[in-house]
Amino acid sequence: SVIIRDAVLQELAVKLRLDYDTIRTEFERRIRATTRGYRISEPISSVSMLSNSDQAGAELRLMLAVAVNRELFGVVRARLDADEIEDGRARSLYIALEDCFRHNQDDTETLLLKIESEELRAVVAEKLSIDEFTINSQVYVDEGVHQVKYNSLKRKRARVMERVRQAENSGASDVLYGLLSVIIFLDGELE
């Protein structure tokens, strides 16, 4: 019914800290598009965008958890740089969160406006509306940061190992010794 729909949209607007008219307009736009026989950029479901098996999904899950628990972003940014995030979607969300953090903007609408990808914006709005990642959020974020840093170190080590092979092939022993010391350092960090 219209009454229930408006009540749900009102609740959603409060939950997301968005303007009710914005929520209602977007809802009506999607209804019109669906009734005309086509769908407009349907939000990607969490299942397809957040595959548990890949690193990109893990990075995105971490950043979504931080978007839901914005008070944890200061901790994350102290431990993790955007350059350590390989997935472009997760890096984009990190950058939007960073921009909000620097300008002391903690409202949801501002965060969503800073996200360029409509797909990503829809997933962030979904996660904010259902309060996913709110239970044990600190533990989840700590483990996520640890995993992202670990994978970043593994990628660095692989790049250095490629340079070691190149130095071995060219007979550049002075470069080789320097690279081997970097490998030892990275192995220690990985441990």
Side-chain angles (χ1 to χ4, degrees):
S1 79
V2 174
I3 294 171
I4 293 173
R5 182 198 70 196
D6 285 345
V8 170
L9 292 175
Q10 192 78 332
E11 186 177 328
L12 184 61
V14 169
K15 187 88 166 158
L16 294 175
R17 291 187 267 172
L18 293 171
D19 180 58
Y20 169 76
D21 290 332
T22 303
I23 296 282
R24 192 191 73 231
T25 302
E26 179 64 18
F27 175 78
E28 289 170 354
R29 183 175 71 89
R30 288 183 180 273
I31 292 297
R32 280 192 307 274
T34 301
T35 58
R36 282 192 299 242
Y38 66 91
R39 294 195 158 175
I40 54 167
S41 59
E42 191 76 28
I44 290 183
S45 74
S46 301
V47 173
S48 64
M49 189 177 239
L50 301 175
S51 168
N52 286 327
S53 62
D54 63 62
Q55 174 56 25
E59 290 176 348
L60 185 55
R61 278 192 311 280
L62 167 64
M63 296 317 302
L64 287 168
V66 173
V68 171
N69 302 283
R70 301 273 292 280
E71 69 281 0
L72 297 175
F73 183 69
V75 174
V76 170
R77 75 186 292 265
R79 296 173 51 198
L80 192 65
D81 292 326
D83 296 339
E84 294 176 287
I85 300 171
E86 188 172 39
D87 179 58
R89 301 163 303 175
R91 190 177 319 108
S92 174
L93 184 50
Y94 181 101
I95 291 167
L97 287 162
E98 174 70 25
D99 196 40
C100 286
F101 182 85
R102 287 184 183 190
H103 293 99
N104 202 25
Q105 300 166 318
D106 63 351
D107 62 294
T108 300
E109 191 166 4
T110 302
L111 173 63
L112 293 174
L113 288 172
K114 291 180 185 292
I115 300 170
E116 294 178 15
S117 163
E118 187 176 329
E119 256 175 9
L120 182 57
R121 193 176 320 118
V123 171
V124 170
E126 174 193 348
K127 298 304 177 191
L128 287 166
S129 69
I130 62 173
D131 279 340
E132 191 169 337
F133 306 114
T134 55
I135 298 173
N136 295 324
S137 57
Q138 181 68 51
V139 172
Y140 188 86
V141 168
D142 287 343
E143 289 174 358
V145 167
H146 175 78
Q147 188 65 45
V148 170
K149 289 194 81 58
Y150 179 79
N151 289 327
S152 175
L153 287 168
K154 282 176 42 179
R155 288 189 304 271
K156 285 179 188 176
R157 188 182 190 287
R159 286 191 300 267
V160 173
M161 282 303 293
E162 181 57 35
R163 290 177 56 202
V164 165
R165 284 188 266 296
Q166 291 171 354
E168 285 175 335
N169 291 339
S170 67
S173 59
D174 55 332
V175 173
L176 182 60
Y177 291 123
L179 291 173
L180 289 175
S181 68
V182 172
I183 291 290
I184 291 169
F185 171 77
L186 292 172
D187 284 346
E189 290 293 304
L190 283 166
E191 186 63 34

Short mmCIF file of all heavy atoms in Angstrom, two decimals, residues 109-166:
data_model
loop_
_atom_site.label_atom_id
_atom_site.label_comp_id
_atom_site.label_asym_id
_atom_site.label_seq_id
_atom_site.Cartn_x
_atom_site.Cartn_y
_atom_site.Cartn_z
N GLU A 109 24.85 10.85 3.01
CA GLU A 109 24.58 11.46 1.70
C GLU A 109 25.87 11.98 1.08
O GLU A 109 26.13 11.79 -0.11
CB GLU A 109 23.55 12.58 1.84
CG GLU A 109 23.04 13.06 0.51
CD GLU A 109 21.79 13.91 0.65
OE1 GLU A 109 21.35 14.19 1.78
OE2 GLU A 109 21.25 14.29 -0.39
N THR A 110 26.72 12.64 1.87
CA THR A 110 27.98 13.16 1.35
C THR A 110 28.88 12.03 0.88
O THR A 110 29.49 12.11 -0.19
CB THR A 110 28.70 14.01 2.42
OG1 THR A 110 27.84 15.07 2.82
CG2 THR A 110 30.01 14.57 1.90
N LEU A 111 28.96 10.96 1.67
CA LEU A 111 29.77 9.81 1.27
C LEU A 111 29.27 9.25 -0.06
O LEU A 111 30.06 9.02 -0.98
CB LEU A 111 29.76 8.72 2.33
CG LEU A 111 30.44 7.40 1.94
CD1 LEU A 111 31.93 7.61 1.68
CD2 LEU A 111 30.22 6.35 3.01
N LEU A 112 27.97 9.05 -0.18
CA LEU A 112 27.42 8.48 -1.41
C LEU A 112 27.67 9.39 -2.61
O LEU A 112 27.94 8.90 -3.72
CB LEU A 112 25.93 8.20 -1.24
CG LEU A 112 25.58 7.10 -0.25
CD1 LEU A 112 24.07 6.99 -0.06
CD2 LEU A 112 26.16 5.76 -0.66
N LEU A 113 27.63 10.69 -2.41
CA LEU A 113 27.90 11.62 -3.51
C LEU A 113 29.35 11.56 -3.97
O LEU A 113 29.66 11.83 -5.13
CB LEU A 113 27.55 13.05 -3.09
CG LEU A 113 26.06 13.36 -2.98
CD1 LEU A 113 25.84 14.74 -2.38
CD2 LEU A 113 25.38 13.25 -4.34
N LYS A 114 30.26 11.20 -3.08
CA LYS A 114 31.68 11.14 -3.41
C LYS A 114 32.06 9.85 -4.15
O LYS A 114 33.14 9.75 -4.70
CB LYS A 114 32.53 11.28 -2.15
CG LYS A 114 32.45 12.68 -1.55
CD LYS A 114 33.29 12.80 -0.31
CE LYS A 114 33.13 14.13 0.36
NZ LYS A 114 33.65 15.25 -0.38
N ILE A 115 31.17 8.90 -4.18
CA ILE A 115 31.42 7.63 -4.87
C ILE A 115 30.98 7.78 -6.31
O ILE A 115 29.81 8.00 -6.59
CB ILE A 115 30.68 6.47 -4.18
CG1 ILE A 115 31.15 6.33 -2.73
CG2 ILE A 115 30.87 5.17 -4.95
CD1 ILE A 115 30.31 5.38 -1.90
N GLU A 116 31.91 7.66 -7.24
CA GLU A 116 31.62 7.89 -8.65
C GLU A 116 30.80 6.77 -9.28
O GLU A 116 29.92 7.03 -10.08
CB GLU A 116 32.92 8.09 -9.43
CG GLU A 116 33.64 9.36 -9.04
CD GLU A 116 34.95 9.53 -9.77
OE1 GLU A 116 35.17 8.83 -10.79
OE2 GLU A 116 35.75 10.35 -9.33
N SER A 117 31.08 5.54 -8.93
CA SER A 117 30.41 4.40 -9.54
C SER A 117 29.01 4.24 -8.98
O SER A 117 28.82 4.09 -7.77
CB SER A 117 31.22 3.12 -9.27
OG SER A 117 30.44 1.98 -9.51
N GLU A 118 28.01 4.23 -9.87
CA GLU A 118 26.63 4.04 -9.43
C GLU A 118 26.45 2.67 -8.80
O GLU A 118 25.72 2.51 -7.82
CB GLU A 118 25.68 4.21 -10.62
CG GLU A 118 24.23 4.20 -10.22
CD GLU A 118 23.30 4.46 -11.39
OE1 GLU A 118 23.67 5.18 -12.32
OE2 GLU A 118 22.19 3.92 -11.36
N GLU A 119 27.12 1.67 -9.37
CA GLU A 119 27.06 0.31 -8.84
C GLU A 119 27.55 0.27 -7.40
O GLU A 119 26.89 -0.27 -6.53
CB GLU A 119 28.01 -0.58 -9.66
CG GLU A 119 27.37 -1.47 -10.62
CD GLU A 119 28.44 -2.19 -11.44
OE1 GLU A 119 29.64 -2.13 -11.16
OE2 GLU A 119 28.00 -2.84 -12.36
N LEU A 120 28.72 0.84 -7.18
CA LEU A 120 29.31 0.84 -5.85
C LEU A 120 28.46 1.65 -4.88
O LEU A 120 28.25 1.25 -3.74
CB LEU A 120 30.75 1.38 -5.90
CG LEU A 120 31.50 1.40 -4.58
CD1 LEU A 120 31.57 0.01 -3.96
CD2 LEU A 120 32.91 1.95 -4.81
N ARG A 121 27.95 2.77 -5.35
CA ARG A 121 27.09 3.60 -4.51
C ARG A 121 25.87 2.80 -4.04
O ARG A 121 25.47 2.87 -2.88
CB ARG A 121 26.64 4.84 -5.30
CG ARG A 121 26.01 5.90 -4.46
CD ARG A 121 25.67 7.17 -5.26
NE ARG A 121 26.68 7.54 -6.23
CZ ARG A 121 26.46 7.61 -7.56
NH1 ARG A 121 25.26 7.37 -8.05
NH2 ARG A 121 27.43 7.96 -8.37
N ALA A 122 25.29 2.00 -4.94
CA ALA A 122 24.11 1.20 -4.60
C ALA A 122 24.46 0.14 -3.56
O ALA A 122 23.69 -0.11 -2.63
CB ALA A 122 23.54 0.55 -5.86
N VAL A 123 25.63 -0.49 -3.70
CA VAL A 123 26.04 -1.53 -2.75
C VAL A 123 26.29 -0.90 -1.37
O VAL A 123 25.88 -1.44 -0.35
CB VAL A 123 27.27 -2.30 -3.25
CG1 VAL A 123 27.81 -3.22 -2.17
CG2 VAL A 123 26.92 -3.10 -4.49
N VAL A 124 26.95 0.26 -1.34
CA VAL A 124 27.21 0.94 -0.07
C VAL A 124 25.89 1.31 0.59
O VAL A 124 25.70 1.07 1.79
CB VAL A 124 28.10 2.19 -0.28
CG1 VAL A 124 28.18 3.03 1.00
CG2 VAL A 124 29.50 1.78 -0.72
N ALA A 125 24.96 1.86 -0.18
CA ALA A 125 23.65 2.24 0.38
C ALA A 125 22.93 1.01 0.93
O ALA A 125 22.32 1.07 2.00
CB ALA A 125 22.80 2.93 -0.69
N GLU A 126 23.03 -0.11 0.21
CA GLU A 126 22.40 -1.35 0.68
C GLU A 126 22.99 -1.79 2.01
O GLU A 126 22.27 -2.11 2.95
CB GLU A 126 22.59 -2.45 -0.36
CG GLU A 126 22.10 -3.80 0.09
CD GLU A 126 22.58 -4.93 -0.83
OE1 GLU A 126 23.09 -4.67 -1.92
OE2 GLU A 126 22.44 -6.10 -0.40
N LYS A 127 24.32 -1.80 2.11
CA LYS A 127 24.97 -2.26 3.34
C LYS A 127 24.65 -1.33 4.50
O LYS A 127 24.48 -1.77 5.63
CB LYS A 127 26.49 -2.36 3.15
CG LYS A 127 26.91 -3.37 2.11
CD LYS A 127 26.35 -4.74 2.40
CE LYS A 127 26.70 -5.71 1.32
NZ LYS A 127 25.99 -6.96 1.42
N LEU A 128 24.56 -0.03 4.23
CA LEU A 128 24.20 0.91 5.29
C LEU A 128 22.76 0.70 5.75
O LEU A 128 22.46 0.85 6.94
CB LEU A 128 24.39 2.35 4.80
CG LEU A 128 25.84 2.80 4.66
CD1 LEU A 128 25.91 4.08 3.85
CD2 LEU A 128 26.47 3.00 6.03
N SER A 129 21.89 0.34 4.85
CA SER A 129 20.48 0.20 5.21
C SER A 129 20.19 -1.07 5.99
O SER A 129 19.24 -1.11 6.76
CB SER A 129 19.60 0.25 3.96
OG SER A 129 19.80 -0.90 3.17
N ILE A 130 21.01 -2.11 5.82
CA ILE A 130 20.72 -3.36 6.52
C ILE A 130 21.64 -3.58 7.72
O ILE A 130 21.58 -4.60 8.37
CB ILE A 130 20.80 -4.57 5.57
CG1 ILE A 130 22.20 -4.73 4.98
CG2 ILE A 130 19.75 -4.48 4.49
CD1 ILE A 130 22.38 -6.00 4.16
N ASP A 131 22.49 -2.63 8.01
CA ASP A 131 23.39 -2.70 9.17
C ASP A 131 24.30 -3.92 9.14
O ASP A 131 24.64 -4.48 10.18
CB ASP A 131 22.60 -2.69 10.48
CG ASP A 131 22.19 -1.29 10.88
OD1 ASP A 131 22.81 -0.33 10.38
OD2 ASP A 131 21.27 -1.15 11.69
N GLU A 132 24.68 -4.35 7.95
CA GLU A 132 25.65 -5.44 7.86
C GLU A 132 26.99 -4.93 8.39
O GLU A 132 27.27 -3.74 8.32
CB GLU A 132 25.80 -5.89 6.40
CG GLU A 132 26.56 -7.18 6.27
CD GLU A 132 26.49 -7.75 4.86
OE1 GLU A 132 25.55 -7.43 4.12
OE2 GLU A 132 27.38 -8.52 4.52
N PHE A 133 27.79 -5.78 8.92
CA PHE A 133 29.12 -5.47 9.45
C PHE A 133 29.09 -4.72 10.77
O PHE A 133 30.09 -4.15 11.18
CB PHE A 133 29.97 -4.66 8.45
CG PHE A 133 30.11 -5.26 7.09
CD1 PHE A 133 29.56 -4.63 5.98
CD2 PHE A 133 30.77 -6.46 6.90
CE1 PHE A 133 29.69 -5.17 4.72
CE2 PHE A 133 30.90 -7.01 5.64
CZ PHE A 133 30.36 -6.37 4.55
N THR A 134 27.96 -4.68 11.46
CA THR A 134 27.93 -3.94 12.73
C THR A 134 28.28 -4.82 13.93
O THR A 134 28.69 -4.30 14.95
CB THR A 134 26.54 -3.30 12.96
OG1 THR A 134 25.54 -4.31 12.89
CG2 THR A 134 26.27 -2.21 11.94
N ILE A 135 28.15 -6.12 13.80
CA ILE A 135 28.50 -7.01 14.90
C ILE A 135 29.98 -7.33 14.80
O ILE A 135 30.48 -7.72 13.74
CB ILE A 135 27.65 -8.30 14.86
CG1 ILE A 135 26.18 -7.94 15.02
CG2 ILE A 135 28.11 -9.29 15.91
CD1 ILE A 135 25.24 -9.10 14.83
N ASN A 136 30.71 -7.17 15.88
CA ASN A 136 32.16 -7.40 15.93
C ASN A 136 32.89 -6.61 14.85
O ASN A 136 33.84 -7.11 14.24
CB ASN A 136 32.49 -8.89 15.80
CG ASN A 136 31.98 -9.70 16.95
OD1 ASN A 136 31.97 -9.24 18.09
ND2 ASN A 136 31.53 -10.91 16.67
N SER A 137 32.48 -5.39 14.64
CA SER A 137 33.05 -4.59 13.55
C SER A 137 34.54 -4.35 13.73
O SER A 137 35.30 -4.40 12.75
CB SER A 137 32.30 -3.27 13.42
OG SER A 137 32.34 -2.56 14.64
N GLN A 138 34.99 -4.11 14.95
CA GLN A 138 36.42 -3.86 15.17
C GLN A 138 37.24 -5.09 14.81
O GLN A 138 38.28 -4.97 14.14
CB GLN A 138 36.68 -3.47 16.63
CG GLN A 138 38.14 -3.15 16.93
CD GLN A 138 38.62 -1.88 16.26
OE1 GLN A 138 37.98 -0.84 16.37
NE2 GLN A 138 39.73 -1.95 15.54
N VAL A 139 36.81 -6.25 15.20
CA VAL A 139 37.52 -7.49 14.87
C VAL A 139 37.51 -7.71 13.36
O VAL A 139 38.53 -8.04 12.77
CB VAL A 139 36.87 -8.70 15.60
CG1 VAL A 139 37.47 -10.01 15.13
CG2 VAL A 139 37.02 -8.55 17.11
N TYR A 140 36.36 -7.51 12.74
CA TYR A 140 36.25 -7.69 11.29
C TYR A 140 37.21 -6.75 10.55
O TYR A 140 37.92 -7.17 9.63
CB TYR A 140 34.81 -7.43 10.85
CG TYR A 140 34.57 -7.78 9.41
CD1 TYR A 140 34.25 -9.08 9.05
CD2 TYR A 140 34.71 -6.83 8.41
CE1 TYR A 140 34.05 -9.42 7.72
CE2 TYR A 140 34.52 -7.17 7.09
CZ TYR A 140 34.19 -8.47 6.76
OH TYR A 140 34.01 -8.80 5.44
N VAL A 141 37.25 -5.50 10.97
CA VAL A 141 38.12 -4.51 10.32
C VAL A 141 39.59 -4.84 10.57
O VAL A 141 40.41 -4.79 9.65
CB VAL A 141 37.76 -3.08 10.77
CG1 VAL A 141 38.81 -2.08 10.34
CG2 VAL A 141 36.39 -2.69 10.20
N ASP A 142 39.93 -5.21 11.81
CA ASP A 142 41.33 -5.57 12.11
C ASP A 142 41.80 -6.74 11.24
O ASP A 142 42.89 -6.70 10.67
CB ASP A 142 41.49 -5.95 13.59
CG ASP A 142 41.42 -4.75 14.50
OD1 ASP A 142 41.58 -3.61 14.02
OD2 ASP A 142 41.21 -4.94 15.72
N GLU A 143 40.96 -7.77 11.14
CA GLU A 143 41.32 -8.93 10.31
C GLU A 143 41.40 -8.55 8.84
O GLU A 143 42.27 -9.03 8.11
CB GLU A 143 40.32 -10.06 10.52
CG GLU A 143 40.44 -10.71 11.88
CD GLU A 143 39.36 -11.74 12.15
OE1 GLU A 143 38.47 -11.95 11.29
OE2 GLU A 143 39.41 -12.34 13.24
N GLY A 144 40.50 -7.68 8.39
CA GLY A 144 40.52 -7.23 7.00
C GLY A 144 41.77 -6.45 6.66
O GLY A 144 42.40 -6.66 5.62
N VAL A 145 42.16 -5.53 7.55
CA VAL A 145 43.39 -4.74 7.33
C VAL A 145 44.59 -5.68 7.29
O VAL A 145 45.46 -5.55 6.42
CB VAL A 145 43.56 -3.67 8.42
CG1 VAL A 145 44.96 -3.06 8.39
CG2 VAL A 145 42.51 -2.59 8.27
N HIS A 146 44.62 -6.62 8.22
CA HIS A 146 45.73 -7.59 8.26
C HIS A 146 45.83 -8.35 6.93
O HIS A 146 46.90 -8.49 6.36
CB HIS A 146 45.53 -8.56 9.42
CG HIS A 146 46.54 -9.65 9.48
ND1 HIS A 146 47.82 -9.45 9.95
CD2 HIS A 146 46.48 -10.95 9.09
CE1 HIS A 146 48.50 -10.59 9.85
NE2 HIS A 146 47.71 -11.51 9.34
N GLN A 147 44.68 -8.82 6.43
CA GLN A 147 44.67 -9.59 5.17
C GLN A 147 45.10 -8.72 3.99
O GLN A 147 45.87 -9.17 3.13
CB GLN A 147 43.28 -10.17 4.93
CG GLN A 147 43.23 -11.13 3.76
CD GLN A 147 44.06 -12.38 4.01
OE1 GLN A 147 44.01 -12.96 5.09
NE2 GLN A 147 44.83 -12.78 3.04
N VAL A 148 44.63 -7.49 3.92
CA VAL A 148 45.01 -6.59 2.81
C VAL A 148 46.51 -6.31 2.85
O VAL A 148 47.19 -6.35 1.82
CB VAL A 148 44.19 -5.28 2.86
CG1 VAL A 148 44.74 -4.25 1.89
CG2 VAL A 148 42.72 -5.56 2.55
N LYS A 149 47.04 -6.04 4.04
CA LYS A 149 48.48 -5.78 4.16
C LYS A 149 49.29 -7.02 3.79
O LYS A 149 50.31 -6.91 3.10
CB LYS A 149 48.84 -5.31 5.58
CG LYS A 149 48.32 -3.91 5.87
CD LYS A 149 48.92 -3.31 7.08
CE LYS A 149 50.26 -2.72 6.91
NZ LYS A 149 50.44 -1.67 5.94
N TYR A 150 48.85 -8.18 4.22
CA TYR A 150 49.53 -9.42 3.91
C TYR A 150 49.58 -9.64 2.39
O TYR A 150 50.64 -9.93 1.82
CB TYR A 150 48.82 -10.60 4.60
CG TYR A 150 49.44 -11.94 4.32
CD1 TYR A 150 50.59 -12.35 4.98
CD2 TYR A 150 48.89 -12.80 3.38
CE1 TYR A 150 51.17 -13.58 4.73
CE2 TYR A 150 49.45 -14.04 3.12
CZ TYR A 150 50.60 -14.42 3.79
OH TYR A 150 51.17 -15.64 3.52
N ASN A 151 48.46 -9.46 1.74
CA ASN A 151 48.42 -9.65 0.29
C ASN A 151 49.24 -8.60 -0.45
O ASN A 151 49.85 -8.89 -1.47
CB ASN A 151 46.98 -9.67 -0.21
CG ASN A 151 46.27 -10.94 0.20
OD1 ASN A 151 46.87 -12.00 0.28
ND2 ASN A 151 44.99 -10.84 0.48
N SER A 152 49.26 -7.39 0.08
CA SER A 152 50.08 -6.33 -0.52
C SER A 152 51.57 -6.69 -0.43
O SER A 152 52.32 -6.52 -1.39
CB SER A 152 49.81 -5.00 0.19
OG SER A 152 50.67 -4.00 -0.29
N LEU A 153 51.98 -7.20 0.72
CA LEU A 153 53.38 -7.63 0.89
C LEU A 153 53.72 -8.79 -0.05
O LEU A 153 54.82 -8.83 -0.62
CB LEU A 153 53.65 -8.03 2.34
CG LEU A 153 53.75 -6.88 3.34
CD1 LEU A 153 53.73 -7.41 4.77
CD2 LEU A 153 55.00 -6.05 3.09
N LYS A 154 52.79 -9.72 -0.23
CA LYS A 154 53.03 -10.83 -1.15
C LYS A 154 53.21 -10.32 -2.58
O LYS A 154 54.08 -10.81 -3.31
CB LYS A 154 51.87 -11.83 -1.09
CG LYS A 154 51.94 -12.75 0.12
CD LYS A 154 50.78 -13.70 0.27
CE LYS A 154 50.31 -14.36 -0.99
NZ LYS A 154 49.18 -15.29 -0.75
N ARG A 155 52.41 -9.33 -2.98
CA ARG A 155 52.56 -8.76 -4.33
C ARG A 155 53.91 -8.06 -4.47
O ARG A 155 54.58 -8.19 -5.50
CB ARG A 155 51.42 -7.79 -4.64
CG ARG A 155 50.08 -8.47 -4.87
CD ARG A 155 49.03 -7.50 -5.40
NE ARG A 155 48.80 -6.33 -4.57
CZ ARG A 155 47.92 -6.28 -3.58
NH1 ARG A 155 47.18 -7.34 -3.29
NH2 ARG A 155 47.77 -5.17 -2.90
N LYS A 156 54.32 -7.32 -3.44
CA LYS A 156 55.62 -6.65 -3.48
C LYS A 156 56.74 -7.67 -3.59
O LYS A 156 57.69 -7.49 -4.36
CB LYS A 156 55.83 -5.79 -2.21
CG LYS A 156 55.06 -4.52 -2.19
CD LYS A 156 55.30 -3.77 -0.89
CE LYS A 156 54.38 -2.59 -0.77
NZ LYS A 156 54.51 -1.89 0.51
N ARG A 157 56.63 -8.74 -2.82
CA ARG A 157 57.66 -9.77 -2.85
C ARG A 157 57.76 -10.40 -4.24
O ARG A 157 58.84 -10.65 -4.76
CB ARG A 157 57.38 -10.85 -1.81
CG ARG A 157 58.51 -11.86 -1.67
CD ARG A 157 58.18 -12.95 -0.64
NE ARG A 157 59.33 -13.75 -0.35
CZ ARG A 157 59.87 -14.65 -1.17
NH1 ARG A 157 59.37 -14.84 -2.37
NH2 ARG A 157 60.92 -15.36 -0.80
N ALA A 158 56.63 -10.66 -4.87
CA ALA A 158 56.62 -11.24 -6.22
C ALA A 158 57.28 -10.30 -7.22
O ALA A 158 58.04 -10.76 -8.10
CB ALA A 158 55.19 -11.55 -6.65
N ARG A 159 57.03 -8.99 -7.09
CA ARG A 159 57.68 -8.03 -8.00
C ARG A 159 59.19 -8.00 -7.79
O ARG A 159 59.96 -7.95 -8.74
CB ARG A 159 57.08 -6.64 -7.80
CG ARG A 159 55.68 -6.49 -8.38
CD ARG A 159 55.22 -5.04 -8.41
NE ARG A 159 55.17 -4.40 -7.11
CZ ARG A 159 54.10 -4.35 -6.34
NH1 ARG A 159 52.97 -4.89 -6.73
NH2 ARG A 159 54.15 -3.75 -5.18
N VAL A 160 59.62 -8.06 -6.52
CA VAL A 160 61.05 -8.05 -6.24
C VAL A 160 61.69 -9.35 -6.73
O VAL A 160 62.80 -9.33 -7.28
CB VAL A 160 61.33 -7.82 -4.72
CG1 VAL A 160 62.81 -7.98 -4.41
CG2 VAL A 160 60.84 -6.44 -4.30
N MET A 161 60.99 -10.47 -6.58
CA MET A 161 61.53 -11.74 -7.07
C MET A 161 61.72 -11.70 -8.60
O MET A 161 62.69 -12.26 -9.11
CB MET A 161 60.61 -12.91 -6.69
CG MET A 161 60.75 -13.34 -5.25
SD MET A 161 62.44 -13.82 -4.78
CE MET A 161 62.66 -15.29 -5.75
N GLU A 162 60.83 -11.04 -9.29
CA GLU A 162 60.99 -10.90 -10.74
C GLU A 162 62.25 -10.08 -11.05
O GLU A 162 63.00 -10.41 -11.96
CB GLU A 162 59.74 -10.24 -11.35
CG GLU A 162 59.80 -10.06 -12.84
CD GLU A 162 60.02 -11.35 -13.61
OE1 GLU A 162 59.51 -12.41 -13.17
OE2 GLU A 162 60.72 -11.32 -14.64
N ARG A 163 62.47 -9.05 -10.27
CA ARG A 163 63.70 -8.24 -10.46
C ARG A 163 64.94 -9.05 -10.11
O ARG A 163 65.99 -8.87 -10.72
CB ARG A 163 63.60 -6.96 -9.63
CG ARG A 163 62.54 -6.00 -10.20
CD ARG A 163 62.36 -4.75 -9.38
NE ARG A 163 63.60 -4.03 -9.21
CZ ARG A 163 63.82 -3.15 -8.22
NH1 ARG A 163 62.86 -2.91 -7.34
NH2 ARG A 163 64.96 -2.54 -8.11
N VAL A 164 64.84 -9.95 -9.12
CA VAL A 164 65.97 -10.83 -8.77
C VAL A 164 66.31 -11.71 -9.96
O VAL A 164 67.47 -11.86 -10.32
CB VAL A 164 65.64 -11.69 -7.51
CG1 VAL A 164 66.61 -12.85 -7.36
CG2 VAL A 164 65.62 -10.83 -6.26
N ARG A 165 65.29 -12.29 -10.58
CA ARG A 165 65.53 -13.14 -11.76
C ARG A 165 66.20 -12.35 -12.89
O ARG A 165 67.11 -12.84 -13.56
CB ARG A 165 64.22 -13.76 -12.25
CG ARG A 165 63.73 -14.91 -11.38
CD ARG A 165 62.55 -15.64 -11.98
NE ARG A 165 61.23 -15.22 -11.56
CZ ARG A 165 60.75 -15.31 -10.33
NH1 ARG A 165 61.49 -15.78 -9.37
NH2 ARG A 165 59.53 -14.92 -10.04
N GLN A 166 65.74 -11.13 -13.09
CA GLN A 166 66.33 -10.28 -14.13
C GLN A 166 67.79 -9.96 -13.80
O GLN A 166 68.66 -9.98 -14.68
CB GLN A 166 65.53 -8.99 -14.30
CG GLN A 166 64.16 -9.19 -14.89
CD GLN A 166 63.31 -7.93 -14.84
OE1 GLN A 166 63.69 -6.92 -14.26
NE2 GLN A 166 62.12 -8.01 -15.44
#
